[in-house]
Amino acid sequence: MLSRERIRNIAIVAHVDHGKTTLVDHMLRQGGVFRSNETLVERVMDSGDLEREKGITILAKNTSISYDNHLINIIDTPGHADFGGEVERGLRLVDGVLLLVDAAEGPLPQTRFVLQKALELNLKTVLVINKVDRADARPKEVLDAVYSLYIDLGANDEQIEFPVLYAIARQGLAFNKLDDERKNLLPLFEAILKNIPPPNVSDDAELSQMLVANLDYDDYVGRLAVGRIHAGRFYVNKPLCVMRADGSLQNGKISKLYGFSGLKRVEIEDAGPGEIVCIAGMDAISIGDTLSSPDNPTALQRIRVDEPTMKMVFRVNDSPLAGREGKYVTSRNLRERLYREAYKNVALRVEDSESPDAFIVYGRGELQFSVILETMRREGYELMASNPEPVLREIEGKIWEPMELVFCDIPEASMGAVTERLGLRKAQLIHMQPQGSDRTRVQYRIPSRGLVGFRSEFLSLTRGEGILSSQSDGYELWMGAIPRRQNGAIVSDRQGKTVPYALFSVQERGQLFVGPGIEVYEGMVVGEHAHSTELNVNPCREKKLTNIRAAGRDENVILTPPREMTLEKILEWISEDELVEITPKTLRIRKRLLEVNARHRAERDRKRES
């Protein structure tokens, strides 16, 4: 059992792509976690397949290093706003944060979000200005911007007296001043030991407490509760009770106790206050529960996260091609999987709908939903999902909707086009600042539903050179209708396999999503129409063969390659009357009502009501 004075618990927080996971890589290497002959991979903390494919951190993970006879527990957190719940959960495990800020981009929306959460918990901060080797780095201006951010967030005198370091994370270098010699990360380790306090825990010898901040699973010992010990000594076979949100208690005992050494989980005999451990033996346990002494049960404050702002409907696949590729296709399979996801993801909420085969999922944004859907798809699930919608509130008989603060870093040549499109989506310009090099940083306030489908359009408007990020910013009165997709859909009017001859004549009307030889059905969307109206086509029509010889030669059938639609692009593209069909092998877009006549009747009834 380590003494409290030898423990430091820190979280590394920053905006997306500011270098958190890369810095952890080099901290582990220089902390002696890896052998000298061990094969190393980049971003070792991004262990999930989706994390490595997308190049982002999705789940907060913890590791540890030993330095100068101290144990430093490190929580690597996501930088994307959609996974803010992971940050809020991770901050409950630590006593201080390393705040990383890009030396060129400066503080961005998620920087503000994570710093605000850290200040609310009164955590000590160490500022690290990263990427000072960039050609456009401006560390002095960025430092001034960070001070302004602290003041804006209402930091007190003690919180604003934070140490500042400079770093080149990809080279494993940290230094106290810009003109200091650059050797390694030792200045960073020293700053952690000097400025991050030991765990603030209870000294009551009769009390045992641990807040469950994460859940894991082991094939041999079952469910694992991960958390930081707040009081008492924990050891194998120690009796404990689980204190749940509803006030109920359940007794149990510790069957296995694990600590963290580098990237590995190691079995230990006992652990004391301030240590981050895994406990096996408590099966019926949730994130936010307290493990306490059975004879003196005392609960810790539960983990609270911001409310979800977006929702989607996940439903059983009922298309004509349903059940051909998926392993789990029933409503029971879907319900169990979604509630299991909500059980370990504090930022997610799942509810049963009026229909037994549909479930409402509440979350933070399109990226979070797409990660859940892609994970389920790879596990063998087959389902359908609706377009993301805002979570509305009714206050004194009026409808309020969630708002977002949007930060855009764009070339000046694209400024007019971006402003025009955001204006159509009810965005209000708040701040504009030239950044040099013909770039401008602008800040807007926009309804959350106005951002749905805008990110891909933004990349087109800025020719891939723009940077867009956002954060939740409270609620505002309903701001009226927002035009969605400008183009209609090209929809198949029958079932069959697509034929090159038919697709050749259809591609003149818009952009195709499917190539030849693809199985389609009535109501399936096969492309985007060049106009705003819906176009029903027969993509399975074959050329009629006759015995009459043509005077001229046949027309060459040359097909343009179909547009590749990823899950994220589809969720942005679909509108209210469409669904995405997700199977382990295929992604399809379809209309809610498959029959052409049924859609016509629904449109006529809608016009009548309006």
Side-chain angles (χ1 to χ4, degrees):
M1 191 171 77
L2 288 171
S3 66
R4 186 174 68 89
E5 289 72 19
R6 290 170 50 199
I7 300 173
R8 298 293 186 274
N9 297 321
I10 61 164
I12 299 186
V13 296
H15 190 80
V16 64
D17 201 30
H18 279 197
K20 298 179 299 300
T21 307
T22 304
L23 181 62
V24 174
D25 270 5
H26 286 277
M27 291 178 73
L28 291 171
R29 294 176 188 182
Q30 296 185 29
V33 171
F34 302 111
R35 300 188 312 271
S36 58
N37 64 341
E38 192 168 350
T39 302
L40 305 179
V41 296
E42 288 188 359
R43 296 185 297 110
V44 68
M45 294 295 287
D46 288 346
S47 53
D49 291 340
L50 280 176
E51 291 179 318
R52 301 204 70 80
E53 289 172 18
K54 295 178 179 294
I56 59 173
T57 302
I58 295 173
L59 299 173
K61 304 178 192 69
N62 50 303
T63 183
S64 68
I65 59 173
S66 295
Y67 175 75
D68 192 22
N69 206 27
H70 286 73
L71 178 69
I72 302 176
N73 290 309
I74 303 169
I75 312 294
D76 182 25
T77 62
H80 198 284
D82 283 19
F83 309 112
E86 293 290 307
V87 180
E88 294 167 273
R89 179 174 58 77
L91 291 180
R92 292 298 299 273
L93 290 170
V94 300
D95 306 286
V97 296
L98 287 185
L99 178 67
L100 254 70
V101 180
D102 191 296
E105 296 179 2
L108 286 176
Q110 191 67 357
T111 315
R112 184 186 187 91
F113 172 80
V114 295
L115 180 59
Q116 182 178 4
K117 296 297 179 185
L119 294 178
E120 287 173 1
L121 293 170
N122 202 27
L123 299 177
K124 296 285 186 180
T125 55
V126 175
L127 175 65
V128 180
I129 299 179
N130 191 24
K131 304 184 183 181
V132 294
D133 59 329
R134 284 182 55 164
D136 55 348
R138 45 189 189 94
K140 293 182 179 178
E141 292 88 340
V142 167
L143 179 57
D144 291 340
V146 174
Y147 275 118
S148 299
L149 179 59
Y150 270 78
I151 295 169
D152 192 31
L153 293 175
N156 57 40
D157 293 342
E158 185 180 353
Q159 290 171 328
I160 209 167
E161 291 294 330
F162 52 84
V164 181
L165 286 89
Y166 303 90
I168 306 173
R170 63 179 181 176
Q171 297 177 23
L173 302 174
F175 31 94
N176 293 307
K177 296 181 180 178
L178 288 170
D179 53 359
D180 280 359
E181 189 177 2
R182 306 175 181 185
K183 289 183 177 180
N184 47 39
L185 290 176
L186 290 186
L188 179 61
F189 293 146
E190 294 290 346
I192 291 171
L193 297 187
K194 180 181 177 182
N195 297 283
I196 303 299
N200 181 21
V201 294
S202 172
D203 295 324
D204 188 347
E206 301 297 322
L207 187 63
S208 294
Q209 285 179 311
M210 188 186 93
L211 182 69
V212 180
N214 198 6
L215 296 174
D216 205 344
Y217 187 82
D218 186 274
D219 291 335
Y220 297 101
V221 298
R223 191 177 302 279
L224 295 169
V226 182
R228 186 180 72 163
I229 298 174
H230 182 73
R233 175 175 166 262
F234 282 47
Y235 50 86
V236 177
N237 293 325
K238 179 184 176 72
L240 292 173
C241 73
V242 180
M243 306 186 68
R244 300 197 181 92
D246 59 3
S248 62
L249 305 177
Q250 180 176 347
N251 291 332
K253 69 176 182 178
I254 300 175
S255 61
K256 293 284 185 181
L257 185 64
Y258 299 94
F260 292 92
S261 178
L263 300 174
K264 299 173 183 176
R265 206 163 49 213
V266 293
E267 195 169 341
I268 56 178
E269 288 298 321
D270 63 353
E275 293 188 61
I276 297 176
V277 296
C278 284
I279 292 177
M282 308 287 179
D283 289 333
I285 195 166
S286 303
I287 292 176
D289 290 350
T290 298
L291 296 178
S292 187
S293 313
D295 52 349
N296 183 23
T298 308
L300 293 166
Q301 182 182 356
R302 295 188 67 85
I303 296 174
R304 302 291 181 191
V305 299
D306 292 347
E307 286 292 310
T309 56
M310 303 294 287
K311 67 178 179 180
M312 283 176 64
V313 177
F314 290 29
R315 63 178 69 235
V316 173
N317 188 10
D318 60 0
S319 81
L321 304 181
R324 297 189 181 186
E325 299 174 358
K327 181 180 178 183
Y328 307 106
V329 298
T330 65
S331 60
R332 179 180 60 83
N333 296 143
L334 182 58
R335 187 179 190 278
E336 286 178 357
R337 179 62 181 83
L338 289 175
Y339 275 93
R340 191 164 73 244
E341 184 69 30
Y343 181 70
K344 62 183 181 181
N345 189 340
V346 292
L348 202 70
R349 202 169 74 234
V350 179
E351 290 179 2
D352 294 342
S353 70
E354 296 177 355
S355 172
D357 60 353
F359 308 93
I360 305 171
V361 181
Y362 297 86
R364 296 279 180 93
E366 296 160 78
L367 182 59
Q368 185 185 24
F369 289 132
S370 69
V371 166
I372 295 167
L373 288 167
E374 183 64 35
T375 303
M376 293 175 65
R377 175 191 181 194
R378 295 185 183 197
E379 292 172 357
Y381 285 84
E382 188 172 310
L383 68 153
M384 296 189 301
S386 69
N387 64 309
E389 301 173 359
V391 177
L392 305 178
R393 292 180 180 175
E394 185 173 347
I395 303 174
E396 297 179 354
K398 296 181 179 179
I399 301 298
W400 292 64
E401 62 176 328
M403 302 293 290
E404 302 267 344
L405 274 180
V406 179
F407 294 76
C408 305
D409 193 331
I410 51 179
E412 289 183 359
S414 308
M415 184 72 191
V418 171
T419 303
E420 179 187 357
R421 297 298 174 87
L422 282 172
L424 294 173
R425 294 168 177 264
K426 309 291 184 182
Q428 300 170 341
L429 179 63
I430 295 176
H431 183 67
M432 183 190 314
Q433 181 180 2
Q435 294 294 103
S437 304
D438 295 327
R439 294 185 71 86
T440 304
R441 180 174 293 179
V442 285
Q443 182 179 343
Y444 297 90
R445 195 163 188 260
I446 184 173
S448 295
R449 59 195 168 99
L451 276 183
V452 176
F454 179 70
R455 296 180 192 275
S456 56
E457 185 180 358
F458 174 80
L459 289 176
S460 300
L461 294 173
T462 60
R463 299 181 180 180
E465 297 179 9
I467 301 171
L468 176 72
S469 50
S470 63
Q471 75 172 104
S472 181
D473 189 43
Y475 277 71
E476 203 62 60
L477 277 172
W478 179 263
M479 301 183 73
I482 294 178
R484 284 291 305 275
R485 197 175 70 217
Q486 302 294 318
N487 300 72
I490 301 175
V491 187
S492 172
D493 64 1
R494 68 199 65 203
Q495 188 164 349
K497 283 194 174 181
T498 55
V499 176
Y501 176 75
L503 294 180
F504 181 68
S505 58
V506 172
Q507 71 180 4
E508 298 176 355
R509 306 293 190 92
Q511 176 75 52
L512 289 174
F513 295 158
V514 297
I518 303 298
E519 197 161 1
V520 297
Y521 52 83
E522 182 182 5
M524 178 175 161
V525 176
V526 297
E528 183 180 67
H529 195 196
H531 301 284
S532 59
T533 55
E534 180 182 305
L535 178 66
N536 294 290
V537 299
N538 176 10
C540 311
R541 179 169 59 92
E542 297 183 351
K543 185 176 181 181
K544 300 295 182 185
L545 299 178
T546 69
N547 59 359
I548 300 174
R549 191 166 180 176
R553 64 183 182 86
D554 287 342
E555 190 175 19
N556 260 346
V557 175
I558 301 174
L559 293 177
T560 304
R563 187 199 299 180
E564 185 179 346
M565 295 292 281
T566 62
L567 188 52
E568 288 91 345
K569 289 180 181 177
I570 292 175
L571 291 179
E572 290 184 358
W573 190 84
I574 60 175
S575 58
E576 291 82 358
D577 65 334
E578 292 159 349
L579 298 168
V580 53
E581 181 185 345
I582 301 159
T583 74
K585 297 180 181 177
T586 315
L587 295 173
R588 304 183 185 97
I589 307 172
R590 53 159 282 181
K591 292 290 182 178
R592 288 180 186 264
L593 301 174
L594 296 180
E595 295 181 4
V596 177
N597 292 333
R599 295 201 297 275
H600 286 327
R601 285 195 299 271
E603 180 65 19
R604 187 170 61 246
D605 293 343
R606 188 184 65 82
K607 288 182 178 178
R608 232 179 248 158
E609 290 175 3
S610 59

